[in-house]
Amino acid sequence: MKPRLFTPGPTPVPESIMLRMAQPIIHHRTVEFQKALHDVGEGLGYLFRTSQPVMTLTSSGTGAMEAALVNTLSAGDEIIFVNAGKFGERWGEIAGVYGIVAHEITIEWGTAVTAEQVLEALGKHPSVKAICLTHSETSTGVFTDVQAIAAALRPGFQGLIIVDGITAVGAHEMRFDDWDLDVVVTGSQKGLMIPPGLAFIVLSERAWKSAESSTLPKFYFDLKLAKKAFATDDTPWTPAVTLVLGVADALAMIREEGIENVWNRHARMASALRAGVAAVGLQPYGNPPSNAVTAVMLPEKGEEFSSLMKKKYRITMAAGQEQLKGKIFRLSHLGYYDEADMLAVLYAIESALSDIGHQYTSGAGLAAAQKVFNGGR
Ligand SMILES: *Cc1c(COP(=O)(O)O)cnc(C)c1O
C-alpha cells in the first residue's frame, strides 16, 4: 500500500505545491517575492474573513501563540485560559514564562468549555486583560464554539479574545471581523496544506491598541515591525521564502474552491469518518467533535491495531497524548483531503480490525461513510 499521512499536522501537501517549492530559490527583496507575499496577505485576509493585516511569521504555530501574548500584554497582567487538552494548556505555559497571571478553567479532556463557564470565570477575575481559547483542541479532537463564546462576552467584555486557530482555520467557520475577535493564530502544516515552518497571526484594532502599552520583551516576534513591513509586502527578517511561495498557491486553491465549500468539505469528511468508525463498533472520542481531526477510542488489542495500521496498511495516524496515551488514536482530515481519502482510511481500519479478530460487519464502515457523502441515501 502507498504510505498515507493522516496526522493533524503535518498534513499532506498537494503535488503542484511541492513542485512549486522545488523551484530554484529566489531572493526575498525582489519584485517577484513581493508579489507572492502580497498575494499571501490577500489570501489570508480571505481565509480569516478580515480586513486587518494577517502577518506571516517564520516559525511553527507556537511561535505565533507566543507572539500573541508578548505583543499585547505586560508582566502582571491577568488572563483566563482553558485547559481541556495539551494545546489549551500551552497558553498557560507561555503566560507563566512571561510573568502573566494565568487563571485556568479546568475542563475534562474530551469536552469543550461553554460560554457560561467562561462568563463564570470572568466573574471571578473581572480584571483579566485577555481570554485565550483553543478553537479546535487537536489533542482531544474537540471543537470549541468560539463564535458563541465571543457573542456571550461582548459587548460587556472589552478585553482581548485570543484564539488558537491552529487546526480550526480552514476546517471550521472563522469570521475574525464579524465575531469581534482580537487575535487569531494558525500554522502552515495544518489547514494550509504546506510543510511546517510558517505561522500566521491577525490582530484587531483593540489588540493593536494593547500592543501600544505592552512591555513584555520581544525582538524576533515584534509584531509592530511585522505590520510595518506587511504594508510594503515585506517582512522584517528573512522569511522562509520557499514556504511563502507554497502557501501563495495553497491560498489560491482555497479561494478557487471557495471558503464556505472548504468548511463544508471538512464537515462532510469528519461526519463520514465518525459514522464509519461507529459502524464498525468503535467509539468516537470527544464532544463536540472537531472537523479537523477525529479522535477514536482504541479497540481491544489497541497496540496491535495501531501497529497494523502503520506497518501493514501504511497509515500514519496520531496517537493519544499524555492522559490519552494508549486510549485513543486520531485521524486528520485537515487540509488536502477528500472523500476518497476517508474511504481509504476506513478500508485500512476495517482490515486491521479484521486482522485482530474484532467482530463487525465487513463493509459497514465504508457504507456508513458513503451514505454521508451521498446525502443520507
Ligand atoms: C499543532 C498545534 C499547535 C502547535 O503548533 P506547532 O506548529 O507545533 O508549534 C498549537 N495548537 C494547536 C491546536 C495545534 O493543533
Short mmCIF file of all heavy atoms in Angstrom, two decimals, residues 60-62 65 87 90 134 136 138 164 166-167 189-190, ligand 1:
data_model
loop_
_atom_site.label_atom_id
_atom_site.label_comp_id
_atom_site.label_asym_id
_atom_site.label_seq_id
_atom_site.Cartn_x
_atom_site.Cartn_y
_atom_site.Cartn_z
N SER A 60 6.95 27.84 13.84
CA SER A 60 5.79 26.94 13.90
C SER A 60 4.65 27.69 14.59
O SER A 60 4.81 28.86 15.00
CB SER A 60 6.15 25.63 14.61
OG SER A 60 6.13 25.82 16.00
N GLY A 61 3.52 27.06 14.73
CA GLY A 61 2.34 27.72 15.28
C GLY A 61 2.56 28.29 16.68
O GLY A 61 2.05 29.37 17.02
N THR A 62 3.33 27.57 17.48
CA THR A 62 3.58 28.02 18.85
C THR A 62 4.25 29.38 18.89
O THR A 62 4.01 30.18 19.81
CB THR A 62 4.44 26.96 19.60
OG1 THR A 62 3.78 25.69 19.47
CG2 THR A 62 4.60 27.29 21.07
N MET A 65 1.61 31.83 18.85
CA MET A 65 0.93 31.89 20.16
C MET A 65 1.73 32.78 21.11
O MET A 65 1.19 33.64 21.80
CB MET A 65 0.80 30.49 20.77
CG MET A 65 -0.14 29.55 20.01
SD MET A 65 -0.13 27.85 20.67
CE MET A 65 -1.04 28.07 22.22
N PHE A 87 -3.11 21.59 24.02
CA PHE A 87 -2.84 22.88 23.39
C PHE A 87 -3.46 24.04 24.16
O PHE A 87 -2.87 25.11 24.24
CB PHE A 87 -3.27 22.85 21.92
CG PHE A 87 -2.40 21.90 21.14
CD1 PHE A 87 -2.89 20.69 20.66
CD2 PHE A 87 -1.06 22.19 20.94
CE1 PHE A 87 -2.08 19.80 19.99
CE2 PHE A 87 -0.23 21.31 20.27
CZ PHE A 87 -0.74 20.11 19.79
N ARG A 90 -1.14 25.02 26.77
CA ARG A 90 0.05 25.77 26.32
C ARG A 90 -0.09 27.27 26.55
O ARG A 90 0.90 27.96 26.82
CB ARG A 90 0.33 25.45 24.84
CG ARG A 90 1.65 26.00 24.35
CD ARG A 90 2.10 25.36 23.06
NE ARG A 90 2.30 23.92 23.22
CZ ARG A 90 2.63 23.10 22.21
NH1 ARG A 90 2.83 23.57 21.00
NH2 ARG A 90 2.78 21.81 22.42
N THR A 134 -9.02 27.80 22.54
CA THR A 134 -8.49 26.88 21.53
C THR A 134 -9.68 26.43 20.69
O THR A 134 -10.56 25.73 21.19
CB THR A 134 -7.81 25.67 22.21
OG1 THR A 134 -6.91 26.16 23.20
CG2 THR A 134 -7.06 24.82 21.20
N SER A 136 -10.02 24.47 17.97
CA SER A 136 -10.07 23.02 17.74
C SER A 136 -8.94 22.43 18.56
O SER A 136 -7.77 22.69 18.28
CB SER A 136 -9.90 22.73 16.24
OG SER A 136 -9.53 21.38 16.03
N THR A 138 -6.64 19.92 19.24
CA THR A 138 -6.13 18.81 18.44
C THR A 138 -5.83 17.56 19.27
O THR A 138 -5.93 16.45 18.77
CB THR A 138 -4.85 19.27 17.71
OG1 THR A 138 -5.09 20.59 17.20
CG2 THR A 138 -4.49 18.36 16.56
N ASP A 164 -6.38 30.31 19.57
CA ASP A 164 -5.53 29.36 18.87
C ASP A 164 -6.41 28.69 17.82
O ASP A 164 -7.26 27.86 18.14
CB ASP A 164 -4.97 28.33 19.87
CG ASP A 164 -4.26 27.16 19.18
OD1 ASP A 164 -4.33 27.06 17.94
OD2 ASP A 164 -3.66 26.33 19.89
N ILE A 166 -5.15 26.99 15.28
CA ILE A 166 -4.13 26.28 14.50
C ILE A 166 -4.71 25.09 13.72
O ILE A 166 -4.33 24.89 12.57
CB ILE A 166 -2.90 25.92 15.38
CG1 ILE A 166 -2.26 27.24 15.86
CG2 ILE A 166 -1.89 25.08 14.62
CD1 ILE A 166 -1.03 27.12 16.74
N THR A 167 -5.62 24.31 14.31
CA THR A 167 -6.26 23.30 13.45
C THR A 167 -7.71 23.67 13.09
O THR A 167 -8.42 22.87 12.48
CB THR A 167 -6.26 21.87 14.05
OG1 THR A 167 -6.76 21.92 15.38
CG2 THR A 167 -4.88 21.26 14.02
N GLN A 189 1.40 23.93 8.58
CA GLN A 189 1.35 22.47 8.35
C GLN A 189 0.02 21.87 8.73
O GLN A 189 -0.10 20.67 8.90
CB GLN A 189 2.50 21.79 9.10
CG GLN A 189 2.28 21.55 10.59
CD GLN A 189 2.56 22.74 11.47
OE1 GLN A 189 2.45 23.88 11.04
NE2 GLN A 189 2.91 22.51 12.72
N LYS A 190 -1.01 22.72 8.87
CA LYS A 190 -2.30 22.21 9.30
C LYS A 190 -3.29 22.43 8.14
O LYS A 190 -3.13 21.80 7.12
CB LYS A 190 -2.71 22.93 10.58
CG LYS A 190 -1.61 22.92 11.67
CD LYS A 190 -1.68 21.72 12.58
CE LYS A 190 -0.54 21.68 13.56
NZ LYS A 190 -0.91 21.27 14.90
C1 LIG B 1 -0.25 21.88 16.13
C2 LIG B 1 -0.93 22.75 17.12
C3 LIG B 1 -0.23 23.71 17.87
C4 LIG B 1 1.26 23.82 17.86
O1 LIG B 1 1.75 24.18 16.69
P1 LIG B 1 3.29 23.94 16.33
O2 LIG B 1 3.25 24.26 14.88
O3 LIG B 1 3.60 22.51 16.65
O4 LIG B 1 4.07 24.89 17.12
C5 LIG B 1 -0.94 24.54 18.71
N1 LIG B 1 -2.26 24.44 18.83
C6 LIG B 1 -2.97 23.53 18.15
C7 LIG B 1 -4.45 23.47 18.35
C8 LIG B 1 -2.33 22.66 17.28
O5 LIG B 1 -3.02 21.75 16.60
#
